[in-house]
Amino acid sequence: MVEGSVAAVTQFGRTEVSIQIWEAEAGVVYGWRIETGSCQASGTIQGGPAFYPPLEPGSAGAAEAVAVLTALFRPDSQLAARVFRTDQGGSEVVVACGELQQTR
């Protein structure tokens, strides 16, 4: 089971999102993105798929990445971070999801 953490900071007209995963399978390339909605109901990808660099875990099963988006996350936004892998048929399989919550 893949676990991880994600943080996002909106300032100066952009949002920087950082993600870390662990307990992932080494040698597998994982995709990730921030979407509107929740873990139960996906929505629109924030910034577009090209903004999110792949996660490539090493032998310890850990990886991290940063995306800089032109999308501004508002305090009342409902957003979820999804980590996925592509199966042999080309379909995305979500392996982890977490909903973003505002903190101060």
Side-chain angles (χ1 to χ4, degrees):
M1 176 179 193
V2 176
E3 294 187 37
S5 66
V6 64
V9 176
T10 296
Q11 61 183 3
F12 308 119
R14 66 183 191 164
T15 300
E16 184 173 310
V17 183
S18 61
I19 188 168
Q20 296 178 326
I21 61 170
W22 53 89
E23 297 189 25
E25 187 177 337
V28 173
V29 177
Y30 293 85
W32 67 286
R33 61 181 171 247
I34 305 295
E35 296 180 357
T36 57
S38 66
C39 288
Q40 291 74 35
S42 62
T44 305
I45 299 172
Q46 298 300 289
F51 283 89
Y52 300 94
L55 295 163
E56 300 182 45
S59 60
E64 59 184 46
V66 173
V68 178
L69 310 175
T70 56
L72 301 178
F73 293 2
R74 305 277 182 220
D76 59 345
S77 299
Q78 186 175 11
L79 301 166
R82 296 180 192 286
V83 176
F84 59 91
R85 64 189 292 176
T86 305
D87 68 12
Q88 293 179 347
S91 297
E92 290 181 359
V93 177
V94 175
V95 297
C97 184
E99 295 174 13
L100 278 66
Q101 298 188 6
Q102 181 181 8
T103 60
R104 295 213 181 261

